[in-house]
Amino acid sequence: MAMVDTAKKIDKARERLGIPDDEEILAACMANPRGTVGAMALGGLAGAAIRSKVDKNAAEAADGGLAGTWPGGRNMLAITSKRLVLCNMSTMSGKPTEISASWPHGDIALIQVEKAKTAYPFSVVFDDGSIAQGEGAKGSGAADLGAVASTIWSEQ
């Protein structure tokens, strides 16, 4: 069981976020730029240097295509019955505040999720071939992302 039920937080905020009642939240997690969780574990100057490099690499990797519309920073990610959604969140309460980006299922070719020591790195492959990368925080529902994604998108 997740320590933070991200799907429940998004579901509770659905009216404020503009998510229709007929759109089911299938899986959700806290999503960070790839490498963030490891950098936070290191902390201090080393962690700050790694976070800076992670942000720079993410911006370069997402340059062009639909992946270029992937917002940076810490978000809540949800796979719904209709689309992939990223929400901004309040730093104080951790609640979702607004949808920062969303893509219908047809815009996504594949979502790959790995299991690592500190997080669940993922890649979202868009139908135009561009790729956005991030990582789902452990304990936030990220363990379910791969299984849910494989029911919607599969390797061709």
Side-chain angles (χ1 to χ4, degrees):
M1 176 139 168
M3 295 185 320
V4 175
D5 193 339
T6 309
K8 186 176 180 179
K9 283 187 173 197
I10 293 171
D11 193 48
K12 282 177 113 176
R14 73 170 43 247
E15 187 175 326
R16 182 181 52 229
L17 297 172
I19 298 173
D21 289 337
D22 66 341
E23 189 170 358
E24 185 181 355
I25 310 295
L26 304 174
C29 71
M30 306 301 276
N32 302 299
R34 193 170 262 188
T36 302
V37 173
M40 284 190 294
L42 285 175
L45 291 176
I50 291 170
R51 278 191 298 278
S52 174
K53 181 74 171 167
V54 164
D55 289 343
K56 182 180 179 213
N57 288 346
E60 289 172 0
D63 193 26
L66 285 172
T69 62
W70 188 274
R74 191 168 178 234
N75 295 283
M76 289 181 164
L77 177 147
I79 299 173
T80 76
S81 55
K82 298 181 179 183
R83 58 190 169 152
L84 178 69
V85 175
L86 286 177
C87 300
N88 291 334
M89 54 190 236
S90 167
T91 53
M92 296 297 285
S93 68
K95 293 179 181 178
T97 57
E98 65 182 350
I99 292 177
S100 55
S102 70
W103 304 270
H105 286 182
D107 284 353
I108 297 168
L110 177 68
I111 295 179
Q112 297 173 313
V113 182
E114 305 164 32
K115 184 177 180 181
K117 283 184 179 182
T118 58
Y120 290 87
F122 62 82
S123 297
V124 177
V125 181
F126 291 94
D127 67 348
D128 64 3
S130 62
I131 301 171
Q133 295 185 324
E135 62 186 20
K138 285 197 173 185
S140 73
D144 300 330
L145 281 184
V148 170
S150 70
T151 65
I152 300 169
W153 305 280
S154 60
E155 293 189 53
Q156 310 288 318

